[in-house]
């Protein structure tokens, strides 16, 4: 009887240890906020314009570098650059990725101003050169839910 109880206790402890060691890797995608998004038209980011297409927005693994957003193509084989950001806040989280885009004149693409990961109230405000940042602040800004 005691052997059965000890065996059950041992199995329970092993199960818990296994769960604890798997738990951090299950959160890895949330930690880097890897987000795949498709734009149907060109969009501006600081320093360049991305053509219409699918991109990955990813934070560095080191949390002290989460003021950076790295942008890759759809299969992550082309690195488009690192965007420096500051924290952006919103009152309520959403279930999907949300982008704030500044509408520009007809000959200029919309500019990505902010990006929020699903379930987060703290997002990433993209930093542009001062003159462009002033222009974008005057432009109409639309919030786009990038969910399915």
């Amino acid at each position: 009887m005691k052997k059965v109880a000890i065996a059950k206790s041992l199995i329970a402890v092993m199960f818990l240890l296994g769960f604890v060691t798997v738990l951090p890797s299950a959160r890895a995608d949330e930690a880097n906020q890897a987000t795949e998004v498709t734009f149907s038209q060109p969009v501006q980011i600081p320093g360049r314009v991305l053509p219409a297409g699918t991109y990955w927005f990813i934070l560095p693994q080191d949390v002290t570098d989460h003021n950076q957003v790295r942008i890759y193509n759809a299969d992550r084989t082309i690195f488009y650059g690192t965007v420096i950001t500051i924290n952006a806040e919103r009152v309520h989280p959403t279930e999907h990725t949300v982008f704030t885009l500044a509408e520009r004149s007809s000959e200029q693409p919309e500019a990505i101003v902010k990006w929020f990961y699903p379930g987060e109230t703290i997002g990433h405000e993209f930093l542009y050169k001062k003159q462009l940042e002033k222009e974008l602040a005057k432009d109409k800004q639309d919030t786009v839910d990038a969910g399915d």
Side-chain angles (χ1 to χ4, degrees):
M1 201 69 167
K2 284 186 178 182
K3 288 182 180 180
V4 172
I6 291 172
K8 285 182 180 180
S9 295
L10 185 58
I11 291 172
V13 168
M14 289 174 54
F15 177 76
L16 287 173
L17 285 174
F19 180 72
V20 170
T21 57
V22 172
L23 191 58
S25 64
R27 294 184 181 177
D29 286 338
E30 289 181 17
N32 70 7
Q33 297 186 3
T35 301
E36 183 180 35
V37 62
T38 300
F39 296 105
S40 60
Q41 57 190 13
V43 292
Q44 184 170 356
I45 60 171
R48 75 180 305 155
V49 172
L50 299 174
T54 301
Y55 300 92
W56 280 94
F57 286 61
I58 303 172
L59 301 182
Q61 287 189 348
D62 186 348
V63 295
T64 62
D65 290 333
H66 278 196
N67 65 327
Q68 301 174 25
V69 175
R70 295 179 180 160
I71 302 173
Y72 297 87
N73 69 336
D75 60 5
R76 300 185 194 189
T77 57
I78 298 173
F79 174 65
Y80 286 100
T82 300
V83 176
I84 303 300
T85 67
I86 58 173
N87 284 346
E89 295 183 34
R90 61 181 174 175
V91 178
H92 302 288
T94 61
E95 294 180 16
H96 300 107
T97 297
V98 172
F99 285 93
T100 300
L101 303 170
E103 289 185 22
R104 320 254 348 261
S105 66
S106 60
E107 60 273 349
Q108 295 179 323
E110 292 182 315
I112 300 175
V113 178
K114 297 175 187 171
W115 164 48
F116 287 92
Y117 188 75
E120 298 288 332
T121 57
I122 304 295
H124 312 278
E125 182 175 341
F126 289 31
L127 296 180
Y128 290 86
K129 291 184 177 181
K130 290 292 180 198
Q131 181 59 38
L132 182 53
E133 197 169 298
K134 289 178 185 177
E135 292 174 23
L136 294 176
K138 293 177 185 175
D139 291 335
K140 180 183 178 206
Q141 296 188 1
D142 292 319
T143 301
V144 179
D145 184 328
D148 295 332

